[in-house]
Amino acid sequence: MTETLKQEKNSITQDKSDVLLEVEGLKKYFPVKAGLLQKTVGHIKAVDDVSFAIKKGETFGLVGESGCGKSTTGRTLIRLYEPTDGKILFEGKDISGLNEKQLKPYRKDIQMVFQDPYSSLNPRKTVGTILEEPFRVHKLYSKAERKERVEHLLEKVGLNPDLRNRYPHEFSGGQRQRIGIARALTLNPKLIIGDEPVSALDVSIQSQVLNIMDDLQKDFGLTYLFIAHDLGVVKHISDRIGVMYLGRMMEVAPKRELYSNPLHPYTQALLSAVPKSHPSEVKKERIILKGDVPSPSNPPTGCVFHTRCPKAMDHCKVEVPKLQELEPGHFVACHLYN
Amino acid sequence: MKATKSIFILVNLIFMLFMFLTACGTTPEDTDTAERGADEEVDEPTGDPQYGGTIVLGTSGEPVIFNALYHQDSASADVTDLIFAGLTYTDESLEVQPHIAKDNAEISDDGLEWTFELQEGVLFHDGEELTAHDVVFTYNIFLHEDYTGPRAGSFTSLESVEAVDDYTVKFTLREPDARFHTLTGYSILPEHILGDVPIGDLEDYNEFNIENPIGAGPFKFENWDPGQSLSLVAHEDYFEGRPYLDGVTFRFASDSNALVLLLETGDIDHMIAPTSELVAIETYEHVNLSSTLALRYDYIGWNLQNPLFEDVRVRQALTHAIDRQEITETVLEGQAEVAHAPVSPLSWAYNEDVARFDYDPDRALELLSEAGWEPGEDGILEKDGEKFSFTILSNDGNTTRRDIGIIVQQYLGQIGIEVKPEQMEWGAFLDKINPPNYDFDAIVLAWGLALDPDPSAIWHSKEIENGLNNISYRNDRIDEISDINTTIIDQDERAELLGEAWAILAEEQPYTFLYYPNQFVALNRDVQGFTHHPRVDMYKVNEWWLNR
Amino acid sequence: MTTYIIRRLIMMIPILIGISILSFAIMYAAPGKPTVLNLDPDISVEDRERQMERLGLNDPAHIQYLRWMGNVLQGDLGNSFTRKQPVTQLIMDRLPNTIILMVVSTFLAVIIAIPFGVLSATRQYSKLDYGVTFTSFIGLATPNFWLGLMLIMVFSVQLGWTPVGGVSTLGSEFNLLDRIHHIILPAFVLATADMAGLTRYTRSSMLEVINQDYIRTARAKGFRERTVVYKHGLRNGLIPIITIFGLMLPTFIGGSVVVETLFSWPGIGKLFIDATFERDYPVIMAITMFAAVLTVIGNLIADILYAIMDPRIEY
Amino acid sequence: MGKPENNVIQQQSDQTLGKRRSLLSIIVAKFMQNKLAVFGLFTLAIIITACVLAPWIAPHDPNFQNLRNRLAPPGPEFWLGTDHLGRDLFSRLLHGGQVSLTVGFVAMLGAVSIGTTIGAIAGFFGGRVDAFLMRLVDVIISFPNIFLLITLVAVLEPSMEILILVFALLSWTGTSRLVRGEFLTLKNREFVLAARTIGMSNTRIIFGQILPSAMGPVIVAATLAVGGFILAESTLSFLGLGIQPPRASWGNMLTYSQSVTIFRTAVWYPTFPGLMILITVLCFNFIGDGLRDALDPRVVEK
Amino acid sequence: MSTLLEVKNLKTHFFAKDKVLPVVDGVDFKVNKGETLAIVGESGSGKSITSLSIMGLVPKPGGKIVDGEINFDGKDLVQLSENQMYKVRGNEIAMIFQEPMSSLNPVLTIGEQITEVLIYHKKLSYKEARQKAIELLKIVGFARAEGILDDYPHRLSGGMRQRVMIAMAMSCDPKLLIADEPTTALDVTVQAQILELMKDLSKKFDSSIILITHDLGVVAELADRVIVMYTGQVVEESPIVSLFDEPLHPYTQGLLNSIPKIDEEVERLSSIGGNVPTPDSFPKGCRFSTRCPHVMQKCIDEQPELKEIKPGRKSRCFLHEEGVGS
């Protein structure tokens, strides 16, 4: 059932009317201050000119290594950070410039699930209080209704509703992450941004949570932006995937296309670096990247990947490659394909 | 591990021992049996005076400047008294006596011309002779328009001073001034050193004032170690003969408590002893206590701008209600005499025959009742719905006066008057009580009396607006007496007039005069030849000698 | 680094100006004027007035402040009102005493606190730890002046081991032993509270460090516990102490007020107290500013030391 | 798949229900482990109770003087003897404790409220607001505290209220730095970000979300501050600037230890207030130390 | 193949005020010379404490080895005095840790931290030690090794620090290297670098390695043999390939199935329900009984033993007795 649904979605990529969120040229720079007067001497270009679109009901995966700007992208989208430049079109309306008051209605529509199950729940409040908070902020429902809804949500994420009077410390990591998901669901959002929601969990718990997220997507018709560094997890949950490196989008493609036919040298290296899933498996020749990710405060010129790219050309040092659609739905930012 | 354990035990032991020592190590030594006489003199000298030795004088105030024309503090006065000499001095019976002058002033019949003959051979520390020109130089500074010191006001009656010859000096007054006697004791400055310094710069002329004062007194300035000590050495050519002591060292300590400890350990030989520490000092076997009546009285001043105290009967009642006898016997360890008027028994102008308002709470209530004050429901006196309630202010530095505020609260409470004692820091206290604020109900304070008994500075109504009459006392007869008494040169005649003033003030009770306290000097038994002066701390030190 | 220091020095300026304005304002608002502190019937109203004029006290507050500021910028701290001497002179006479006292008590505090703090941490929950903890708590809870009084009573008066007060024996030539003899009690009293605090800080800082991963690494390298604690632990543990240390500096000046009074120690703390009571504005201002500068510089030095001790900090 | 999962839920809830421990009980249990802290709390409770009940349990009027019975040694009538004005020391000790403890507590409340508010604002909003407030803190910290204290207390009349005010106004900086530091870390904690994503207002985030989590260190600091203020009052008393008589405070009673005479003839007089200060401050320090361990967020979150 | 290390019935318990936490509860395994043994388990399985027990670095106070033997190269490490252990740690057995960012002392240079081991254990002079350190750094892949020596750890990236840690661990040619989650904190491309490096080194130095990890991918890359730990006990022991081919214990099965893989696609991940029980709430019977899909009454009542099921393969499960197998 879902299999067919997903395929359907893939086939209508080009239909703009189905787009829930569109990001155009998003930039988030953090100033670097130094010197006598603490002037801004440069910027950490955490997110630099990133564009992509998420369609209603799909899961868009965002992968990359630490420092690539994937989390910053997520946090900028939900306006925890002020975007430096670019548009964030939610259902066609640009929310990048709205102030907190104008933003409030959209707060219901976009929600976030955080990485750390320990710090994402206020340790001094009961689970019930945490889950009722969104209702109070938006002045929704009566007291009784709130309680009922909270219990319903807890059930939905597989927790016993009787535990609503417990404090977060009484729960295990996986349970807490479910509570985090439940909180994101309280306001019936359209889009949920998952910022590494399972990376802090043990393997056996991780799969529980992924399954719950899958179930909820079906039940509530949710759209996910799923940020993660684990390629296996991203592959499992996503419909389409964007690969980021040093603040830039390297490649965007439907998941099967991406994993079977990675075009960008970075994507290729990334995939080849994933450890074998079976000891007797023979890997295609592993591409070992040299060195480390450069500092985002002083990114390389031209293509940001050229310093580590096994296929780098002189041209790559000079010109920033554009993200272009090589095959339908498969976008790559690389000079190799010019 | 063993080692650390024993360290731990040791540390604890030391700590406990320490606590124990401090708590129990100091049993009082038969303090109760020590006898204290009001005018006890130091042991008689045990032999003939001998030369040599240095004594250490403990003091809590540090001097500021060694120039009598500019200093305002007693610590400076103590030192300058030893370095400089004046034409006259006031002896322990408060009589003016000649010093550099051969005799007391020869006063013309109209009282306007005062002539002094100077002794010959009086030498400054640098060997120059002190002559009439130095006297003229010194006194002309007061008269100079550029003079910046605080004494110009004292010399308004002086018109000029001139040297008749090297050893004769003549003061010419504008009008007769009985007080002028007391002004002739000022330190004589050396003209040969200061003659070229502009008068306007003299106050800041530290080369002389602080670093190297040169006088004709018994001791020479030697060294000042700020904050710690100041040493003087004998002036070999002192005109009254070389002092017995080789030197005198002032040792500065933070407060009288520190001084008492220094006295106990023998680090200092002399200190002005506070009444509150007598009990301790008496136990020191190496220390003698000398006491004499201080030229001072303590009082409670009633702010007469406050309607509460308008009625003289109320003021009298307040005095009746306070057991001054008990206060002097207890808080002051019996070392004080109850006071009745604003004049010291030591003064030639003292009048014993004034109204007395001894402790008599019943009489107090009667008087208050006459004045319209009757007990209200809560026991507090009321009149026209007003409660008899006020604040009594004292300054926090003086524990005795602070305690008196508290004691008075209880005494007056017993007759139904509500008193709130309050203490303030001295500067703030003065700001509050002085013009233009007069912001107080009652104050506990004391007057250290000037050598001249002229009452005008405190009691004349013209002093209300800007002077020391901050309780706003007003009495025409007092104003009159104040105005004329200084023009009467004859002491007996003046004493009679002043006696009338004291009687009026005692009757009117603008103050409740509390007591005349004794003052004490604690002196190492080795120090001989000491004479206790009621007003001058460093009195005739050239006659002191050490029996060591 | 240099840029950082310069920047910090520049940042001091507004702070110091702020402090100077604040203290001037408080002082000016204070009741009581310098020259009327004596109720002397011999001094006439005119004489008082003339003195007010001479000291510039009749000018409006802001004029007085600007004049003071102008003089300070030219290096002139003015003359004391009551002591007739240049403020610089007064301070220079007393400052060495205060500095010596501070240095010795700091030294005492450090030399006692750090070893005990480290021992206490490395033997957490041992008898020694409890002993040190308890003793430092007592040190923190004892009123400083009371401790001083008791020590004087016991060691100076009862036992006669130490002098009652002062910097040196009167009239003696400079003598190191004599100086030590005089300074030991006041320095100890001044150091007590900080000593106790420092011990606690060292302990908790070391406890924090001892649980770090790199300590485990050092142990895994097979080093003896002593090497682990002193080579790998202590340097890291001392880094936060440096900050505390910078903050301690001003408390020493503050504490010196009490200790100097107790031990008749002629330093600037005692001078300040006297000046406050005398409303000796130039002296009050000078000492306040001096203490403020010392505080700010103390913090700066602490930060610089911090950067030297901790290679992670780069400016 | 559905069945085992439900099964699991059941098991989970049983499990968690079994080891239910509220936050408070964890903190209390942790605190109780610290023997010194418990001792401190117990002793302090006795002291505070005695002082609060002073008007009822004090055997004498603390201000009634009997000048003829000054500095009487401890005895059946006056348990701890009398002072230099013949007042009952025990009664004064109890009433003085009221004053000292009030000074300590109220000043602490003031300092903590100011410090918390300013620290919270600076830490939460950051940027210029933070820079300005921290410069203000720098000024006050760089201001030699005791000097300002002396000047202020000298200038204003040293009543208990003024003393409290001055203490509070000068002592908030530590708390504000502490709170600011906590806010700087906490404001980026994910539960705060979560609160922002649901559109919660800043005020609510500051007071409802961050502040409760930041209170741990503040409570510890506050506990220690009470003791600190009691000591500070006694130091000011030593300089003649503390609580003024006839009102008794431990500080101003202790100052009589300065008098050699009293030390020699009535050593008990300053000893008792001294001990009370020592013990009380010690208790506060013990409690603070215990709370530091008990309120350590690592304890709660792990 | 000779045995280098044999752990027998190791019990490391933690003592809290009112309870005993059996964090490591009867662990048995062997490491052969030159072999890489992986210890796999989720958090709370006791794998890290097992490794610290071998090192004699059980966190104090609280932790204590209460029973068992650790026979290493002919001596029982449990019985060695602290002084004797100093000679073993860092010299014969070296260890690297999970957090490269915090495992190096921030105030000492890289050079100081490497040379101190050599000077201490191998009694080299400073100069020799420095030379050797440069060699080691070159081996772990630093081209400019000299330059690195005087750098402080904070200037290096996570991957570089982990290399430094490895260089440090290898400096005394240890017979056994314990790597506790050596790549967990690293990015996947860096992890690949480190894994390659470790493969090379294990060959080059002929050291035995105990690799502790929760990541079965890393295990698949590096290990020869695997033991799977759960709640302080070994639940399965197996050569690497057969474990992946045919996991015996239901826990291992669940673990393998719940990992999303990049080369397979499943509609729904299988998962192990529930949570890992904490040491104060271990069930009475089989410790996995609270989560096991095959749980039987016997499992709740009794603890199964670790038994050899097939040659070289052990499992702790009653299912094998019943002949149910996998």
Side-chain angles (χ1 to χ4, degrees), chain B residues 1 4-5 7-8 11-12 15 18-19 21-22 25-26 56 60 62-65 70-73 145 147-154 186 200 203-204 206 210 224-229 249-255 258 261-262 264-265 267 299 396 424-434 445-448 450-451 457-458 463 466-468 470 535, chain C residues 30-33 35-51 54 79 81-86 89-90 93-94 97 116 119 123 126-128 130-132 134-135 138-139 142 146-147 149-159 162-171 179 182 260-266 270 276-279:
Chain B
M1 193 58 215
T4 54
K5 192 173 174 183
I7 289 172
F8 168 71
V11 166
N12 267 312
F15 188 76
F18 165 60
M19 299 284 266
L21 272 175
T22 53
T26 51
V56 183
S60 57
E62 189 163 2
V64 165
I65 186 172
Y70 296 99
H71 69 59
Q72 293 185 45
D73 60 311
E145 58 177 2
Y147 170 65
T148 52
R151 309 286 171 197
S154 307
Y186 273 97
E203 182 164 7
D204 291 329
N206 289 352
I210 289 171
W224 183 12
D225 197 353
Q228 298 183 69
S229 64
T249 302
F250 288 85
R251 165 142 189 192
F252 311 125
S254 326
D255 49 35
L261 293 176
L262 287 170
E264 177 169 350
T265 55
D267 287 304
Y299 66 91
D396 56 18
M424 295 183 81
E425 185 263 337
W426 182 234
F429 172 81
L430 289 182
D431 198 58
K432 202 163 179 143
I433 64 167
N434 275 344
L445 205 55
W447 284 121
L451 286 172
I458 295 165
E463 298 292 333
N466 214 355
L468 298 174
N470 44 28
R535 199 168 187 270
Chain C
K33 293 288 174 292
T35 45
V36 295
L37 295 190
N38 286 314
L39 271 184
D40 188 343
D42 286 350
I43 298 176
S44 67
V45 176
E46 292 75 22
D47 282 331
R48 276 172 218 284
E49 190 51 38
R50 205 173 50 238
Q51 285 185 338
R54 180 175 128 86
N79 276 7
F81 287 174
T82 48
R83 286 166 200 255
K84 320 277 184 195
Q85 284 186 67
Q89 177 71 40
L90 283 171
D93 281 344
R94 288 157 180 82
N97 293 327
F116 276 105
L119 277 178
R123 302 184 190 177
S126 69
K127 287 228 172 85
L128 177 95
Y130 283 119
V132 169
F134 196 77
T135 315
I138 297 260
T142 313
W146 190 62
L147 177 72
L149 280 167
M150 296 300 128
L151 290 178
I152 293 178
M153 289 296 183
V154 174
F155 290 104
S156 307
V157 180
Q158 298 286 312
L159 300 171
T162 51
V164 172
V167 174
S168 58
T169 303
L170 277 192
R179 290 296 178 108
H182 278 81
E260 287 176 6
T261 308
L262 267 176
F263 290 90
S264 302
W265 190 267
K270 178 80 176 89
T276 312
F277 289 140
E278 290 160 4
R279 303 290 188 274

Side-chain angles (χ1 to χ4, degrees), chain D residues 148-165:
Chain D
L148 195 58
L149 215 68
I150 292 167
T151 320
L152 276 178
V153 175
V155 165
L156 309 162
E157 299 156 37
S159 66
M160 183 170 89
E161 292 75 14
I162 293 292
L163 210 60
I164 289 171
L165 189 76

Side-chain angles (χ1 to χ4, degrees), chain A residues 35-38, chain C residues 2-11:
Chain A
L36 212 55
L37 301 171
Q38 288 291 285
Chain C
T2 322
T3 332
Y4 172 77
I5 296 173
I6 294 173
R7 199 169 67 80
R8 284 286 302 263
L9 288 173
I10 292 173
M11 268 164 57

Side-chain angles (χ1 to χ4, degrees), chain A residues 78-263:
Chain A
I78 203 163
R79 289 290 309 277
L80 284 172
Y81 298 148
E82 288 300 304
T84 307
D85 196 12
K87 284 184 186 166
I88 304 166
L89 300 165
F90 185 79
E91 293 182 319
K93 189 166 189 320
D94 186 8
I95 61 166
S96 64
L98 302 186
N99 63 30
E100 195 56 44
K101 211 173 172 186
Q102 295 163 318
L103 209 57
K104 203 162 175 182
Y106 295 96
R107 289 284 186 213
K108 278 192 273 187
D109 291 336
I110 313 178
Q111 278 295 303
M112 196 158 195
V113 178
F114 294 90
Q115 171 176 4
D116 184 352
Y118 292 88
S119 83
S120 64
L121 303 177
N122 190 336
R124 320 235 154 210
K125 307 209 166 191
T126 63
V127 168
T129 317
I130 291 172
L131 292 179
E132 279 180 31
E133 236 151 26
F135 299 138
R136 281 205 297 271
V137 168
H138 290 273
K139 303 191 171 62
L140 298 172
Y141 313 118
S142 68
K143 218 177 167 186
E145 276 175 300
R146 286 176 188 174
K147 182 170 175 263
E148 196 182 308
R149 282 182 170 264
V150 164
E151 287 177 356
H152 177 68
L153 280 167
L154 282 173
E155 253 171 62
K156 269 282 169 202
V157 296
L159 292 171
N160 185 343
D162 295 343
L163 301 179
R164 53 194 295 280
N165 292 323
R166 297 302 177 85
Y167 287 91
H169 72 90
E170 298 176 75
F171 293 88
S172 70
Q175 290 170 319
R176 291 195 206 194
Q177 203 59 318
R178 295 178 199 212
I179 296 165
I181 292 169
R183 172 177 56 198
L185 288 173
T186 45
L187 294 169
N188 277 324
K190 291 172 179 151
L191 174 67
I192 287 186
I193 298 174
D195 185 3
E196 302 258 18
V198 297
S199 61
L201 304 177
D202 273 323
V203 191
S204 66
I205 307 299
Q206 175 174 306
S207 52
Q208 294 174 6
V209 172
L210 286 173
N211 285 344
I212 284 172
M213 287 187 72
D214 236 348
D215 296 343
L216 293 169
Q217 185 168 38
K218 278 174 234 160
D219 291 0
F220 292 92
L222 295 169
T223 305
Y224 286 147
L225 172 62
F226 194 97
I227 298 165
H229 67 275
D230 186 320
L231 289 150
V233 168
V234 173
K235 183 180 182 205
H236 173 76
I237 195 139
S238 310
D239 298 310
R240 288 192 306 127
I241 293 171
V243 180
M244 283 186 76
Y245 180 79
L246 216 57
R248 288 180 174 271
M249 194 65 98
M250 298 276 123
E251 186 164 3
V252 181
K255 71 169 167 190
R256 282 180 202 150
E257 172 75 12
L258 187 85
Y259 281 73
S260 59
N261 181 25
L263 294 176

